[in-house]
Amino acid sequence: MKVGLSACSNGHSKEWAYQIDELEEVLDSMGVETVRAPHIVSEIDEFSGTDEERAADLMSFYKDDSIEAIYDISGGDLANGVLKYLNFDLIAQSNKTFWGYSDLTTILNGIYAMTGKSSVLYQVKNMVYSDDALLKDRFQEYLNGDASKLFNLNYKFLQGNSMEGVVVGGNIRCFTKLAGTKYWPDMKGKVLLLESYGGGSGQIATLFAQLEQIGVFDEVEGVLLGTFTNYEKENLQLTVYDLLKMHISEDLPVASTREIGHGFDSKAIVIGGEIRLEKE
């Protein structure tokens, strides 16, 4: 298997560039050949290249018939800048799957909105960030044809009993950057996944308010809450669910999972793929 490594969001600092080498070694041990995009390491401030250059890196992988999948290993703030330079007609015709997390939420949902194709919310660099052998085992099993360890989620319902639909969303801050653009997916009947790395009660509450005000919670079939990393560390009186309840009806199903988010042990979920969750 041959994959491309891209960085559509912030460039990697030169100080941590060695982690890319480590990731390539991990993937090589699993039988995965990697091709590194030209613009990955930061050159000017947080930019590894211009928006157009980073988009060209991504499109070069879509055009290369030898590349079977694309793993974006970046995060930060800059990913939505590449969207206007992407050839969505070519992406729609491709059988490649794009993988990324955090700020790549913008591209994952942009691909779905513009092409109907699914992508995977997951950071392959977690296998370098953490020494936990479980992460490599999950990914190796996926490569061997068993996706269950990587994709099957444990969850619990906070209200309601079931939800079913196509998954959209991801990192809440990055997802809301798409609101009002052509890259915003149709929310009707969807399962909305929301998670976050940063943000206290005020920051998360205001994003929930925005989603309410643009009618999202009236359209979706249900909300799946992942982890909210820094929020949960602050030991605040109100939970994320408490904040969400201020903006949704009592009839909207809500479930939570500890297995999707910014934790190194996070599992993968398909954006643009069908999911069905039921209360046990």
Side-chain angles (χ1 to χ4, degrees):
M1 183 180 184
K2 188 176 180 181
V3 304
L5 300 181
S6 64
C8 291
S9 189
N10 296 27
H12 284 58
S13 68
K14 292 179 173 64
E15 179 185 3
W16 302 105
Y18 70 89
Q19 293 177 341
I20 308 169
D21 298 326
E22 292 182 357
L23 175 63
E24 290 179 324
E25 292 173 4
V26 169
L27 291 172
D28 181 69
S29 72
M30 297 178 176
V32 178
E33 180 183 353
T34 55
V35 179
R36 192 182 302 191
H39 302 94
I40 287 186
V41 177
S42 297
E43 296 294 337
I44 300 175
D45 299 330
E46 295 179 326
F47 290 84
S48 60
T50 65
D51 293 344
E52 190 169 7
E53 286 172 332
R54 301 194 318 280
D57 287 350
L58 180 56
M59 292 314 307
S60 71
F61 289 143
Y62 276 106
K63 294 173 184 175
D64 186 341
D65 291 338
S66 70
I67 299 293
E68 297 180 50
I70 303 163
Y71 300 155
D72 195 290
I73 57 174
S74 65
D77 300 289
L78 301 175
N80 64 331
V82 311
L83 287 169
K84 70 176 181 178
Y85 298 108
L86 299 182
N87 183 337
F88 286 102
D89 289 336
L90 193 154
I91 293 173
Q93 297 166 10
S94 171
N95 60 0
K96 307 175 198 290
T97 300
F98 179 83
W99 296 56
Y101 92 135
S102 193
D103 194 40
L104 282 304
T105 292
T106 56
I107 295 181
L108 300 171
N109 287 275
I111 288 174
Y112 174 69
M114 298 297 288
T115 71
K117 290 178 63 66
S118 61
S119 305
V120 179
L121 183 75
Y122 185 72
Q123 172 58 286
V124 295
K125 273 191 75 180
N126 284 345
M127 293 187 290
V128 171
Y129 293 145
S130 173
D131 293 330
D132 190 344
L134 175 63
L135 276 64
K136 297 181 180 67
D137 177 62
R138 285 176 182 166
F139 204 77
Q140 184 69 74
E141 289 294 310
Y142 161 75
L143 293 172
N144 292 343
D146 182 0
S148 60
K149 289 184 179 179
L150 186 61
F151 287 88
N152 287 2
L153 300 177
N154 292 307
Y155 59 88
K156 66 178 182 179
F157 271 84
L158 304 178
Q159 65 182 46
N161 299 301
S162 67
M163 64 179 77
E164 182 176 9
V166 171
V167 179
V168 295
N171 179 273
I172 185 171
R173 177 185 65 84
C174 302
F175 184 57
T176 53
K177 289 193 285 185
L178 298 178
T181 74
K182 63 182 178 180
Y183 310 110
W184 180 256
D186 178 3
M187 304 302 294
K188 192 169 183 60
K190 302 300 191 295
V191 170
L192 177 60
L193 167 68
L194 297 172
E195 56 85 24
S196 180
Y197 176 73
S201 58
Q203 291 167 304
I204 300 304
T206 196
L207 293 171
F208 284 157
Q210 182 185 1
L211 292 173
E212 178 191 12
Q213 290 162 7
I214 61 177
V216 168
F217 296 132
D218 294 326
E219 295 185 300
V220 296
E221 174 71 17
V223 176
L224 175 61
L225 296 174
T227 58
F228 286 67
T229 306
N230 286 348
Y231 189 102
E232 294 163 8
K233 289 178 180 177
E234 292 183 19
N235 195 31
L236 299 167
Q237 284 186 276
L238 296 171
T239 67
V240 171
Y241 177 47
D242 288 331
L243 297 182
L244 179 64
K245 285 190 292 183
M246 299 175 187
H247 301 282
I248 63 173
S249 75
E250 295 180 355
D251 298 326
L252 182 66
V254 178
S256 69
T257 179
R258 304 298 304 165
E259 297 185 324
I260 295 293
H262 278 64
F264 297 153
D265 60 347
S266 177
K267 291 185 178 180
I269 191 168
V270 178
I271 302 298
E274 290 275 352
I275 195 172
R276 178 172 177 80
L277 305 178
E278 293 183 297
K279 190 173 185 177
E280 294 183 354

